[in-house]
Amino acid sequence: MNTRLQVEHPVTEEITGVDLVEWQLRVASGEPIPLKQEELSINGHAIEARLYAEDPNGGFLPSTGRLDHFDLGTEGRIETGVEEGDIISPFYDPMVAKLVVWGESRSEAIDQLADIAESVEIWPVKTNAAFIANCLRDADFDGANLDTGFIAAKIETLVSSDEAGDAIWQSAADFVALADAKQHEGLPIGLRLNAPSVLGATLHHRGETRYISAARATTAADATGFVDPKHAVVFAGGQSFVFERQSRGSGAAAAGDGAILAPMPGKVIAVDVADGDTVTAGQRLMVLEAMKMEHALTAPFDGTVTDLNASEGGQVQVEAVLCVVEPNLK
């Protein structure tokens, strides 16, 4: 018997109108259970989703860091223990919040929850908000045509692309132009005495740089966002799209083939190799742990281990080079 309240207890509360936490406290203090079974009734439909700090585009690996921007809106029932400025660490469960809704019908509840998931604004920590919304919008989910293979069968449509489309680029330019205009007391950026005024922005996103003139008519529907001196962040469909306000190049040089990078920040709980060891493709090299998840790192090809920088019990940051596998040359 598991005698604690489950994470899903808000669903029971929403359809019965009772406060199970209050009941727990009353019973623990010696009072009788407030209602008998026959006095309870079920009304309507409730759905709950777990908003997780994880990256669906990165194999659902945990995402950690500071919540520089955190807004879950005001609709529905939101239960969370964090706020803007808090840190999502690798040491605990990755759940950020519970999103709960009630509706007269199943379809009404589904629509409400999808709307809430699509309006989530969290940055720079990544979440599964868009994945939740895509699940809810799926016709088979709405029709309760479900089995345990639902996600695996539809993963390509349930995980949204994290590459910005033209409308998202336009939204970012619009936000930047508006912010710059306000900063300059309404004077458009690029104003010249002998030329028409121009509002626009030069933006850099995932290796691409564009100059885009502001044209709010083509902004992505329901897109929101904010601008700081270095970035423009656009929120749409539960995802965040980050643009640098000027091209800065690619930053640090990328690790070459054979470099084993940490896919997430976490703790090294096992190291199976040493410098100089010969390994085969697919052989486990080490294991990382974060947020109750274990992730095995394997050799990409046959080769020799060099530059081993990880040790059991050590903490590593995302994209840290843990070791290098030098390919066997034939």
Side-chain angles (χ1 to χ4, degrees):
M1 177 183 292
N2 191 341
T3 56
R4 66 173 175 85
L5 283 180
Q6 300 300 300
V7 174
E8 298 78 17
H9 78 269
V11 170
T12 301
E13 294 185 340
E14 290 296 310
I15 61 175
T16 60
V18 303
D19 187 330
L20 294 178
V21 177
E22 179 185 346
W23 280 27
Q24 263 195 333
L25 296 174
R26 290 186 178 278
V27 171
S29 64
E31 297 181 23
I33 295 178
L35 294 174
K36 297 179 181 179
Q37 184 66 46
E38 57 269 21
E39 296 176 298
L40 296 170
S41 61
I42 293 176
N43 178 36
H45 295 253
I47 302 180
E48 174 186 316
R50 301 187 188 194
L51 183 64
Y52 268 24
E54 63 184 11
D55 182 10
N57 294 95
F60 294 90
L61 290 176
S63 179
T64 61
R66 177 185 168 92
L67 297 169
D68 290 337
H69 183 89
F70 183 76
D71 187 352
L72 302 181
T74 59
E75 300 299 319
R77 173 174 171 175
I78 308 297
E79 297 191 354
T80 184
V82 296
E83 59 186 14
E84 190 165 288
D86 285 348
I87 302 294
I88 302 297
S89 82
F91 305 115
Y92 304 103
D93 185 278
M95 186 166 66
V96 174
K98 294 184 288 183
L99 312 178
V100 189
V101 297
W102 178 92
E104 293 282 356
S105 66
R106 171 182 168 84
S107 291
E108 180 184 332
I110 287 173
D111 286 342
Q112 288 186 50
L113 188 55
D115 287 344
I116 291 173
E118 288 171 346
S119 65
V120 165
E121 296 184 8
I122 295 179
W123 182 78
V125 173
K126 298 181 182 298
T127 75
N128 63 339
F131 176 79
I132 291 171
N134 291 339
C135 287
L136 293 164
R137 299 293 189 196
D138 186 272
D140 285 332
F141 187 95
D142 184 63
N145 181 28
L146 301 167
D147 57 32
T148 55
F150 172 77
I151 292 177
K154 301 192 174 213
I155 191 65
E156 296 299 326
T157 58
L158 297 181
V159 176
S160 298
S161 172
D162 58 356
E163 292 190 12
D166 290 343
I168 300 298
W169 278 88
Q170 186 65 63
S171 295
D174 291 344
F175 294 149
V176 171
L178 181 61
D180 285 346
K182 288 181 177 179
Q183 182 179 0
H184 291 75
E185 301 178 340
L187 293 177
I189 303 307
L191 179 65
R192 295 175 56 190
L193 294 178
N194 60 344
S197 59
V198 175
L199 276 172
T202 300
L203 300 171
H204 183 78
H205 172 72
R206 301 191 64 166
E208 182 179 0
T209 301
R210 300 184 191 178
Y211 176 80
I212 302 177
S213 298
R216 297 199 62 80
T218 58
T219 296
D222 300 322
T224 58
F226 68 91
V227 174
D228 65 25
K230 297 180 180 180
H231 306 96
V233 181
V234 177
F235 299 105
Q239 288 186 282
S240 62
F241 300 89
V242 183
F243 298 82
E244 294 180 3
R245 295 188 59 178
Q246 59 181 2
S247 177
R248 301 180 185 179
S250 60
D257 290 344
I260 307 301
L261 307 181
M264 59 185 181
K267 179 181 180 180
V268 180
I269 62 172
V271 178
D272 303 318
V273 294
D275 268 325
D277 282 359
T278 299
V279 295
T280 57
Q283 180 178 335
R284 195 178 87 171
L285 307 176
M286 63 192 70
V287 180
L288 296 184
E289 180 186 53
M291 292 181 174
K292 300 181 180 179
M293 294 178 58
E294 293 185 2
H295 185 76
L297 302 179
T298 59
F301 38 68
D302 296 350
T304 303
V305 175
T306 64
D307 300 321
L308 181 62
N309 298 313
S311 59
E312 187 172 330
Q315 293 288 334
V316 297
Q317 297 301 314
V318 64
E319 296 188 352
V321 179
L322 305 179
C323 71
V324 175
V325 176
E326 298 286 352
N328 290 337
L329 300 178
K330 295 182 180 180

